[in-house]
Amino acid sequence: MVSRVIPVDPFDLVIFGGTGDLARRKILPGLYRRMASGQMPKEARIIGAARSELDRAGYQQMVKEAIEEFGDPRHKSDVAGVGDFLERLDYVAIDAKGEGGWPELKGLMRDGVVKAFYFSVGPSLFGDLAERLKSHGIAGDDARIVVEKPFGHDLGSARALNASLAAHFEEHQIYRIDHYLGKETVQNLMAVRFGNMLFEPLWNSQYVDHIQITVAETVGVGGRGSYYDKSGAMRDMVQNHLMQLLCLIAMEPPAKFDPDAVRDEKLKVIRALDEVDPHHIVRGQYDKGPDGPGYRDDVEDARSRTESYVAMKVGISNWRWAGTPFYLRTGKRLRARASEIAVVFKDTPHSIFGPEAGLHRNILTIRLQPNEGMELGVTIKEPGPGGMRLMDVPLDMSFADALGPDAEDVPDAYERLIMDVIRGNQTLFMRGDEVEAAWAWTDPIIQGWIDRHDVPKPYDAGSSGPDDALALMHRDGRKWRDIKV
Ligand code: NAP
């Protein structure tokens, strides 16, 4: 069952880019769900801000339509509830690069409530917004700002972005979102690791053979082609989402579940990552399939060398993990949509049952999507006569089953993270030094591809990725887990 909802403090949340795709699809419907769950107090206010010349009624209408299109099906027909939510909305027409609208915004902000500013705009506007919030006296020392990915496209640009924010705000005011960290299972991973006696003693290279992290998507680049083609899977997925998952799996137990203790441990993992051998990375690009165009058609560049798939073997040089490889893979237009982490334990040192009984490794699988949950494969005797033959059975904990009807009330990643901003809890947000360290590790890999004029390997849309990715595991006597459809 879902624990009791505790309302957050009253707040003014300004969404710069409040008319954009992210605001309409995720942020505003998510906030509405938080209101419906009772987490948002009556005094909470949300102010949309963008260049479009809308008045308050026009913005309310736009948000109503966004909730109808993207909101939780259970709530969107609740006319009174939606009306109550819309009453909390306001709108200011503002240009991040101009001076118009700022005095109006200042006039709308109230004293004595939490003030948060969500930068749901392109990163090139972060510095302008930060500067004007300060120069117009809108954001004080207690204000919080929320910034979206991509946080830079390399180390230099990430440093510049950090500097443009640090010129006006302290690190404790800056919330860098990686929505993977807001997922229920990702936090559960910490609960499982540090809340049980069972796993932590085995959580090291002595007992763990290897770890696989998979984020597979069925969709292609779709309408994001022009952005994606300048980015690729390494920048778009590995540098942030997969890196964050790797950190949570590999980090040492922090002394406390507090923001800096957790982020210090994650940073140590990134700094202990080995330089990646170019032979241990496979880049891929999806080809035309029966049900859709190829990557190069999608981005309208017949010679694009951007990768839509990456698989890699990564080592961590520290006492806990030396000798245990981490295999990461992510890609678009694959055969199934699945995100999971699999911790594959070593064989037992000796089988008392003899070779004919069969041997099964314990695998702990943490599923992020679909069907969030965890599964532990354990070996038991195959039931019935026929001697001692062993089989693998899953101890399966799916959140939907465990929570029953309450599962629908679990906040999604964006909702949880926005509420954390209001509560002032940075644990699930990336710190500036973490982001820079991740780019410092990623940059040489990308530069190596550029220097070698690397061309990604084609793979069939709807497949499991390029054959070379299979070979990456086979060479080590291992195999990828099936991406289940
Ligand atoms: P979008 O649909 O293009 O929306 C951009 C928003 O910014 C619009 O509301 C736009 O409104 C406003 N804007 C643009 N220039 C402005 C200016 N000079 N001053 C004030 N407002 C301005 O983009 P999006 O997809 O919502 O993405 C927003 C950010 O989130 C980007 O950094 C993106 O990379 C990131 N992100 C998006 C998603 C997603 O699913 N969409 C996921 C992860 C991260 P006006 O044109 O009316 O000014």
Side-chain angles (χ1 to χ4, degrees), residues 406-451:
D406 287 345
E408 292 184 0
D409 288 327
V410 172
D412 91 350
Y414 272 99
E415 295 170 36
R416 177 188 310 270
L417 292 171
I418 296 170
M419 291 299 106
D420 277 359
V421 173
I422 305 301
R423 276 192 289 253
N425 185 342
Q426 287 184 305
T427 310
L428 299 175
F429 296 83
M430 296 177 295
R431 210 168 53 191
D433 51 3
E434 256 185 275
V435 176
E436 290 184 16
W439 280 120
W441 179 78
T442 314
D443 276 1
I445 298 172
I446 296 172
Q447 192 55 48
W449 293 335
I450 295 168
D451 295 345

Short mmCIF file of all heavy atoms in Angstrom, two decimals, residues 406-451:
data_model
loop_
_atom_site.label_atom_id
_atom_site.label_comp_id
_atom_site.label_asym_id
_atom_site.label_seq_id
_atom_site.Cartn_x
_atom_site.Cartn_y
_atom_site.Cartn_z
N ASP A 406 -3.30 0.45 -5.39
CA ASP A 406 -2.54 1.65 -4.98
C ASP A 406 -1.38 1.94 -5.92
O ASP A 406 -0.82 3.03 -5.91
CB ASP A 406 -1.97 1.48 -3.57
CG ASP A 406 -3.05 1.59 -2.52
OD1 ASP A 406 -4.14 2.06 -2.87
OD2 ASP A 406 -2.80 1.19 -1.37
N ALA A 407 -0.98 0.93 -6.74
CA ALA A 407 0.19 1.13 -7.61
C ALA A 407 -0.02 2.35 -8.51
O ALA A 407 0.92 3.05 -8.84
CB ALA A 407 0.42 -0.12 -8.45
N GLU A 408 -1.29 2.60 -8.87
CA GLU A 408 -1.56 3.72 -9.78
C GLU A 408 -1.28 5.06 -9.11
O GLU A 408 -1.17 6.08 -9.78
CB GLU A 408 -3.02 3.67 -10.24
CG GLU A 408 -3.30 2.50 -11.14
CD GLU A 408 -4.71 2.51 -11.67
OE1 GLU A 408 -5.45 3.43 -11.32
OE2 GLU A 408 -5.05 1.58 -12.42
N ASP A 409 -1.23 5.08 -7.78
CA ASP A 409 -1.02 6.35 -7.08
C ASP A 409 0.45 6.64 -6.82
O ASP A 409 0.79 7.69 -6.28
CB ASP A 409 -1.76 6.35 -5.75
CG ASP A 409 -3.26 6.46 -5.97
OD1 ASP A 409 -3.65 7.12 -6.96
OD2 ASP A 409 -4.01 5.86 -5.20
N VAL A 410 1.34 5.70 -7.20
CA VAL A 410 2.76 5.97 -7.03
C VAL A 410 3.13 7.11 -7.96
O VAL A 410 2.85 7.05 -9.16
CB VAL A 410 3.60 4.71 -7.35
CG1 VAL A 410 5.08 5.03 -7.36
CG2 VAL A 410 3.30 3.61 -6.34
N PRO A 411 3.75 8.18 -7.43
CA PRO A 411 4.07 9.30 -8.31
C PRO A 411 5.06 8.89 -9.40
O PRO A 411 5.93 8.06 -9.14
CB PRO A 411 4.72 10.32 -7.37
CG PRO A 411 4.72 9.74 -6.01
CD PRO A 411 4.18 8.37 -6.05
N ASP A 412 4.89 9.46 -10.58
CA ASP A 412 5.90 9.14 -11.60
C ASP A 412 7.15 9.97 -11.32
O ASP A 412 7.18 10.79 -10.40
CB ASP A 412 5.33 9.28 -13.01
CG ASP A 412 5.52 10.67 -13.61
OD1 ASP A 412 5.93 11.58 -12.87
OD2 ASP A 412 5.27 10.83 -14.81
N ALA A 413 8.19 9.72 -12.11
CA ALA A 413 9.50 10.30 -11.79
C ALA A 413 9.45 11.82 -11.70
O ALA A 413 9.97 12.41 -10.75
CB ALA A 413 10.51 9.85 -12.84
N TYR A 414 8.80 12.46 -12.66
CA TYR A 414 8.76 13.94 -12.64
C TYR A 414 8.02 14.46 -11.43
O TYR A 414 8.44 15.42 -10.78
CB TYR A 414 8.13 14.47 -13.93
CG TYR A 414 9.14 14.65 -15.02
CD1 TYR A 414 9.30 13.71 -16.02
CD2 TYR A 414 9.97 15.76 -15.04
CE1 TYR A 414 10.26 13.86 -17.01
CE2 TYR A 414 10.92 15.93 -16.02
CZ TYR A 414 11.06 14.98 -17.00
OH TYR A 414 12.01 15.14 -17.98
N GLU A 415 6.90 13.81 -11.12
CA GLU A 415 6.10 14.28 -9.98
C GLU A 415 6.92 14.22 -8.69
O GLU A 415 6.96 15.15 -7.90
CB GLU A 415 4.88 13.38 -9.78
CG GLU A 415 3.91 13.44 -10.92
CD GLU A 415 2.86 12.35 -10.78
OE1 GLU A 415 2.45 12.04 -9.65
OE2 GLU A 415 2.45 11.80 -11.82
N ARG A 416 7.58 13.08 -8.50
CA ARG A 416 8.36 12.89 -7.28
C ARG A 416 9.48 13.93 -7.20
O ARG A 416 9.71 14.53 -6.15
CB ARG A 416 8.97 11.50 -7.30
CG ARG A 416 9.87 11.20 -6.13
CD ARG A 416 10.55 9.88 -6.36
NE ARG A 416 9.58 8.86 -6.72
CZ ARG A 416 8.96 8.09 -5.85
NH1 ARG A 416 9.22 8.20 -4.59
NH2 ARG A 416 8.09 7.20 -6.25
N LEU A 417 10.14 14.14 -8.33
CA LEU A 417 11.30 15.05 -8.30
C LEU A 417 10.85 16.49 -8.05
O LEU A 417 11.50 17.23 -7.32
CB LEU A 417 12.10 14.92 -9.60
CG LEU A 417 12.80 13.56 -9.76
CD1 LEU A 417 13.40 13.42 -11.16
CD2 LEU A 417 13.88 13.34 -8.71
N ILE A 418 9.71 16.89 -8.64
CA ILE A 418 9.25 18.27 -8.40
C ILE A 418 8.88 18.44 -6.92
O ILE A 418 9.20 19.46 -6.30
CB ILE A 418 8.05 18.63 -9.32
CG1 ILE A 418 8.49 18.60 -10.79
CG2 ILE A 418 7.53 20.02 -8.98
CD1 ILE A 418 7.35 18.70 -11.79
N MET A 419 8.25 17.43 -6.35
CA MET A 419 7.92 17.53 -4.92
C MET A 419 9.19 17.57 -4.07
O MET A 419 9.25 18.25 -3.05
CB MET A 419 7.03 16.35 -4.49
CG MET A 419 5.63 16.40 -5.07
SD MET A 419 4.66 17.87 -4.59
CE MET A 419 4.68 18.83 -6.09
N ASP A 420 10.24 16.87 -4.50
CA ASP A 420 11.52 16.92 -3.78
C ASP A 420 12.11 18.33 -3.84
O ASP A 420 12.73 18.79 -2.89
CB ASP A 420 12.53 15.92 -4.35
CG ASP A 420 12.32 14.52 -3.78
OD1 ASP A 420 11.42 14.36 -2.93
OD2 ASP A 420 13.06 13.60 -4.18
N VAL A 421 11.94 19.00 -4.98
CA VAL A 421 12.43 20.38 -5.10
C VAL A 421 11.72 21.24 -4.04
O VAL A 421 12.34 22.01 -3.32
CB VAL A 421 12.16 20.96 -6.51
CG1 VAL A 421 12.51 22.44 -6.56
CG2 VAL A 421 12.94 20.19 -7.56
N ILE A 422 10.40 21.09 -3.96
CA ILE A 422 9.64 21.91 -3.01
C ILE A 422 10.07 21.59 -1.58
O ILE A 422 10.17 22.46 -0.72
CB ILE A 422 8.11 21.69 -3.19
CG1 ILE A 422 7.70 21.95 -4.64
CG2 ILE A 422 7.33 22.57 -2.22
CD1 ILE A 422 7.99 23.32 -5.19
N ARG A 423 10.36 20.31 -1.33
CA ARG A 423 10.81 19.92 0.01
C ARG A 423 12.26 20.31 0.27
O ARG A 423 12.75 20.19 1.39
CB ARG A 423 10.67 18.40 0.20
CG ARG A 423 9.28 17.99 0.61
CD ARG A 423 9.29 16.54 1.05
NE ARG A 423 9.47 15.68 -0.10
CZ ARG A 423 8.51 14.93 -0.63
NH1 ARG A 423 7.32 14.91 -0.09
NH2 ARG A 423 8.73 14.19 -1.68
N GLY A 424 12.98 20.69 -0.78
CA GLY A 424 14.38 21.08 -0.61
C GLY A 424 15.31 19.90 -0.43
O GLY A 424 16.35 20.00 0.23
N ASN A 425 14.97 18.77 -1.06
CA ASN A 425 15.80 17.57 -0.91
C ASN A 425 16.52 17.28 -2.24
O ASN A 425 15.89 16.88 -3.23
CB ASN A 425 14.92 16.39 -0.52
CG ASN A 425 15.75 15.15 -0.23
OD1 ASN A 425 16.91 15.06 -0.63
ND2 ASN A 425 15.17 14.21 0.48
N GLN A 426 17.84 17.44 -2.24
CA GLN A 426 18.61 17.29 -3.49
C GLN A 426 19.15 15.88 -3.73
O GLN A 426 19.90 15.68 -4.69
CB GLN A 426 19.80 18.24 -3.47
CG GLN A 426 19.44 19.71 -3.65
CD GLN A 426 20.68 20.56 -3.71
OE1 GLN A 426 21.51 20.51 -2.80
NE2 GLN A 426 20.84 21.36 -4.75
N THR A 427 18.80 14.92 -2.87
CA THR A 427 19.43 13.59 -2.97
C THR A 427 19.32 12.99 -4.38
O THR A 427 20.25 12.36 -4.86
CB THR A 427 18.76 12.61 -1.96
OG1 THR A 427 18.73 13.24 -0.70
CG2 THR A 427 19.53 11.31 -1.87
N LEU A 428 18.17 13.17 -5.02
CA LEU A 428 17.96 12.53 -6.31
C LEU A 428 18.28 13.44 -7.49
O LEU A 428 17.80 13.23 -8.60
CB LEU A 428 16.51 12.02 -6.40
CG LEU A 428 16.12 10.99 -5.33
CD1 LEU A 428 14.65 10.64 -5.43
CD2 LEU A 428 16.97 9.72 -5.46
N PHE A 429 19.08 14.46 -7.24
CA PHE A 429 19.48 15.38 -8.32
C PHE A 429 21.00 15.34 -8.47
O PHE A 429 21.71 15.11 -7.49
CB PHE A 429 19.00 16.80 -8.00
CG PHE A 429 17.51 16.91 -7.94
CD1 PHE A 429 16.82 16.57 -6.79
CD2 PHE A 429 16.79 17.32 -9.06
CE1 PHE A 429 15.43 16.64 -6.73
CE2 PHE A 429 15.41 17.39 -9.01
CZ PHE A 429 14.72 17.06 -7.85
N MET A 430 21.46 15.60 -9.70
CA MET A 430 22.90 15.50 -9.95
C MET A 430 23.60 16.79 -9.49
O MET A 430 23.12 17.88 -9.77
CB MET A 430 23.15 15.28 -11.43
CG MET A 430 22.61 13.96 -11.92
SD MET A 430 22.87 13.78 -13.68
CE MET A 430 21.88 15.07 -14.34
N ARG A 431 24.73 16.60 -8.86
CA ARG A 431 25.52 17.76 -8.45
C ARG A 431 26.41 18.18 -9.61
O ARG A 431 26.73 17.35 -10.48
CB ARG A 431 26.35 17.36 -7.23
CG ARG A 431 26.64 18.49 -6.28
CD ARG A 431 27.20 17.98 -4.98
NE ARG A 431 28.35 17.09 -5.18
CZ ARG A 431 28.88 16.34 -4.22
NH1 ARG A 431 28.38 16.36 -3.00
NH2 ARG A 431 29.91 15.56 -4.46
N GLY A 432 26.83 19.44 -9.63
CA GLY A 432 27.63 19.96 -10.74
C GLY A 432 28.90 19.14 -10.98
O GLY A 432 29.25 18.84 -12.13
N ASP A 433 29.59 18.76 -9.89
CA ASP A 433 30.86 18.03 -10.09
C ASP A 433 30.63 16.63 -10.65
O ASP A 433 31.44 16.10 -11.40
CB ASP A 433 31.69 17.99 -8.79
CG ASP A 433 30.90 17.51 -7.59
OD1 ASP A 433 29.73 17.14 -7.74
OD2 ASP A 433 31.48 17.51 -6.47
N GLU A 434 29.46 16.03 -10.32
CA GLU A 434 29.12 14.71 -10.87
C GLU A 434 28.95 14.79 -12.39
O GLU A 434 29.45 13.96 -13.14
CB GLU A 434 27.75 14.30 -10.34
CG GLU A 434 27.69 13.29 -9.26
CD GLU A 434 26.22 12.97 -8.98
OE1 GLU A 434 25.59 13.70 -8.19
OE2 GLU A 434 25.70 12.02 -9.55
N VAL A 435 28.22 15.82 -12.81
CA VAL A 435 27.96 15.98 -14.25
C VAL A 435 29.28 16.20 -14.98
O VAL A 435 29.53 15.60 -16.04
CB VAL A 435 27.01 17.18 -14.49
CG1 VAL A 435 26.82 17.42 -15.97
CG2 VAL A 435 25.69 16.95 -13.81
N GLU A 436 30.14 17.02 -14.41
CA GLU A 436 31.42 17.29 -15.08
C GLU A 436 32.28 16.03 -15.13
O GLU A 436 32.91 15.74 -16.15
CB GLU A 436 32.16 18.42 -14.35
CG GLU A 436 31.47 19.76 -14.57
CD GLU A 436 32.22 20.94 -13.96
OE1 GLU A 436 33.42 20.79 -13.62
OE2 GLU A 436 31.61 22.01 -13.81
N ALA A 437 32.28 15.26 -14.04
CA ALA A 437 33.09 14.03 -14.03
C ALA A 437 32.57 13.05 -15.08
O ALA A 437 33.35 12.35 -15.75
CB ALA A 437 33.06 13.39 -12.64
N ALA A 438 31.24 13.00 -15.24
CA ALA A 438 30.67 12.08 -16.24
C ALA A 438 31.10 12.51 -17.65
O ALA A 438 31.44 11.67 -18.49
CB ALA A 438 29.14 12.05 -16.12
N TRP A 439 31.11 13.82 -17.90
CA TRP A 439 31.57 14.28 -19.22
C TRP A 439 33.07 14.03 -19.38
O TRP A 439 33.52 13.67 -20.49
CB TRP A 439 31.27 15.77 -19.41
CG TRP A 439 29.87 16.08 -19.80
CD1 TRP A 439 28.98 16.86 -19.12
CD2 TRP A 439 29.18 15.63 -20.99
NE1 TRP A 439 27.78 16.91 -19.79
CE2 TRP A 439 27.88 16.18 -20.93
CE3 TRP A 439 29.53 14.82 -22.06
CZ2 TRP A 439 26.92 15.93 -21.93
CZ3 TRP A 439 28.58 14.58 -23.05
CH2 TRP A 439 27.31 15.13 -22.99
N ALA A 440 33.84 14.19 -18.33
CA ALA A 440 35.29 13.98 -18.44
C ALA A 440 35.59 12.53 -18.83
O ALA A 440 36.58 12.25 -19.50
CB ALA A 440 35.97 14.32 -17.12
N TRP A 441 34.73 11.61 -18.44
CA TRP A 441 34.91 10.21 -18.80
C TRP A 441 34.38 9.94 -20.22
O TRP A 441 34.96 9.16 -20.98
CB TRP A 441 34.16 9.33 -17.79
CG TRP A 441 34.25 7.87 -18.04
CD1 TRP A 441 35.31 7.05 -17.77
CD2 TRP A 441 33.25 7.04 -18.64
NE1 TRP A 441 35.02 5.76 -18.16
CE2 TRP A 441 33.77 5.73 -18.69
CE3 TRP A 441 31.96 7.27 -19.13
CZ2 TRP A 441 33.04 4.66 -19.21
CZ3 TRP A 441 31.24 6.22 -19.65
CH2 TRP A 441 31.79 4.92 -19.68
N THR A 442 33.30 10.62 -20.59
CA THR A 442 32.65 10.37 -21.88
C THR A 442 33.40 11.01 -23.05
O THR A 442 33.49 10.44 -24.14
CB THR A 442 31.20 10.96 -21.86
OG1 THR A 442 30.58 10.60 -20.65
CG2 THR A 442 30.38 10.48 -23.02
N ASP A 443 33.91 12.22 -22.82
CA ASP A 443 34.52 12.99 -23.93
C ASP A 443 35.60 12.22 -24.71
O ASP A 443 35.57 12.22 -25.94
CB ASP A 443 35.13 14.30 -23.38
CG ASP A 443 34.08 15.40 -23.25
OD1 ASP A 443 32.91 15.15 -23.57
OD2 ASP A 443 34.46 16.52 -22.83
N PRO A 444 36.57 11.58 -24.03
CA PRO A 444 37.62 10.89 -24.81
C PRO A 444 37.07 9.76 -25.66
O PRO A 444 37.62 9.46 -26.73
CB PRO A 444 38.57 10.33 -23.74
CG PRO A 444 38.24 11.06 -22.48
CD PRO A 444 36.83 11.52 -22.58
N ILE A 445 35.99 9.14 -25.21
CA ILE A 445 35.39 8.06 -26.01
C ILE A 445 34.85 8.64 -27.32
O ILE A 445 35.12 8.15 -28.41
CB ILE A 445 34.24 7.37 -25.22
CG1 ILE A 445 34.78 6.75 -23.94
CG2 ILE A 445 33.52 6.35 -26.09
CD1 ILE A 445 33.71 6.21 -23.00
N ILE A 446 34.11 9.75 -27.19
CA ILE A 446 33.52 10.37 -28.39
C ILE A 446 34.63 10.93 -29.28
O ILE A 446 34.60 10.78 -30.51
CB ILE A 446 32.52 11.48 -27.96
CG1 ILE A 446 31.37 10.85 -27.19
CG2 ILE A 446 32.01 12.24 -29.19
CD1 ILE A 446 30.40 11.83 -26.55
N GLN A 447 35.64 11.54 -28.66
CA GLN A 447 36.74 12.08 -29.45
C GLN A 447 37.46 10.97 -30.23
O GLN A 447 37.86 11.15 -31.38
CB GLN A 447 37.73 12.83 -28.53
CG GLN A 447 38.75 13.68 -29.26
CD GLN A 447 38.11 14.69 -30.21
OE1 GLN A 447 37.19 15.41 -29.82
NE2 GLN A 447 38.57 14.75 -31.46
N GLY A 448 37.59 9.81 -29.58
CA GLY A 448 38.23 8.66 -30.24
C GLY A 448 37.47 8.27 -31.50
O GLY A 448 38.06 7.98 -32.54
N TRP A 449 36.13 8.29 -31.42
CA TRP A 449 35.33 7.95 -32.62
C TRP A 449 35.58 8.96 -33.73
O TRP A 449 35.70 8.60 -34.90
CB TRP A 449 33.83 7.94 -32.28
CG TRP A 449 33.41 6.86 -31.35
CD1 TRP A 449 34.03 5.66 -31.15
CD2 TRP A 449 32.28 6.86 -30.47
NE1 TRP A 449 33.35 4.92 -30.22
CE2 TRP A 449 32.26 5.63 -29.79
CE3 TRP A 449 31.26 7.78 -30.22
CZ2 TRP A 449 31.28 5.30 -28.85
CZ3 TRP A 449 30.28 7.45 -29.30
CH2 TRP A 449 30.29 6.23 -28.62
N ILE A 450 35.64 10.23 -33.32
CA ILE A 450 35.85 11.27 -34.34
C ILE A 450 37.23 11.09 -34.97
O ILE A 450 37.38 11.07 -36.20
CB ILE A 450 35.73 12.68 -33.69
CG1 ILE A 450 34.30 12.89 -33.19
CG2 ILE A 450 36.12 13.78 -34.68
CD1 ILE A 450 34.11 14.10 -32.27
N ASP A 451 38.25 10.89 -34.14
CA ASP A 451 39.63 10.75 -34.66
C ASP A 451 39.77 9.54 -35.58
O ASP A 451 40.50 9.58 -36.56
CB ASP A 451 40.63 10.61 -33.49
CG ASP A 451 40.68 11.87 -32.65
OD1 ASP A 451 40.17 12.93 -33.11
OD2 ASP A 451 41.22 11.80 -31.51
#
